[in-house]
Amino acid sequence: NLFQLCIIDSVRRTCLCQNEKIDSIDQSPFDKVAQLKLIQFSNTQLERFEKINLQNQERSLFGLIIEKPTYSSSSSFELDNNTFYSLFNLELLTLSNLGIKHLDALQLTNLIRLKELNLNGNNLESLDFLE
């Protein structure tokens, strides 16, 4: 169970997952959690973050942090074009040390309130939305 590996702070409405045992997430892990403001995955082995149901969080979530301690060239993090589709209130998005090679405008289209995008430590070959 994902939440046995995470710390949920219901007062601050945050979810902090810092466990190397996390390598995948099922499609709706946040369904039964009160509206979160911040979800952070650090020091995990996540390879994908796609098609995850964040519908219960779409209005409240302002920060999503997915980061590994160091970049590993042996793996590349996969983003689907709909990964962030429903997160229109997201202000902070950190995708650090994930080996991301490409990020295009379609993946960020609905992030109309985005103020900070952190892509440090990736192997980016192109950023279509800057062209």
Side-chain angles (χ1 to χ4, degrees):
N1 185 335
L2 175 69
F3 293 110
Q4 293 173 340
L5 302 173
C6 299
I7 299 169
I8 305 283
D9 182 335
S10 57
V11 174
R12 291 192 180 113
R13 295 189 353 216
T14 60
C15 175
L16 175 60
C17 300
Q18 293 182 310
N19 193 305
E20 292 180 0
K21 294 179 181 177
I22 299 171
D23 60 0
S24 64
I25 301 173
D26 66 23
Q27 289 200 352
S28 53
F30 301 104
D31 281 353
K32 296 176 183 171
V33 179
Q35 293 184 333
L36 295 169
K37 290 183 177 183
L38 176 69
I39 298 173
Q40 179 174 353
F41 292 96
S42 300
N43 198 28
T44 66
Q45 298 302 316
L46 283 176
E47 298 293 328
R48 284 185 317 282
F49 196 86
E50 59 183 321
K51 297 178 184 169
I52 294 177
N53 184 356
L54 291 172
Q55 285 184 332
N56 289 348
Q57 311 303 326
E58 64 189 7
R59 289 199 163 88
S60 64
L61 194 65
F62 80 88
L64 178 60
I65 299 170
I66 306 171
E67 57 190 355
K68 291 184 180 180
T70 56
Y71 167 68
S72 168
S73 60
S74 63
S75 64
S76 180
F77 195 76
E78 295 179 28
L79 290 172
D80 161 293
N81 279 346
N82 295 318
T83 300
F84 309 116
Y85 183 79
S86 65
L87 303 178
F88 49 86
N89 282 327
L90 204 65
E91 294 181 15
L92 165 69
L93 177 60
T94 296
L95 304 169
S96 295
N97 296 319
L98 300 175
I100 296 171
K101 293 180 181 176
H102 180 77
L103 193 62
D104 67 36
L106 285 177
Q107 293 166 316
L108 304 175
T109 300
N110 285 354
L111 302 181
I112 57 176
R113 293 196 170 96
L114 191 65
K115 294 178 181 175
E116 184 176 338
L117 176 62
N118 179 348
L119 299 170
N120 288 336
N122 285 293
N123 194 18
L124 289 167
E125 295 171 358
S126 65
L127 293 171
D128 288 352
F129 59 92
L130 293 178
E131 296 176 358

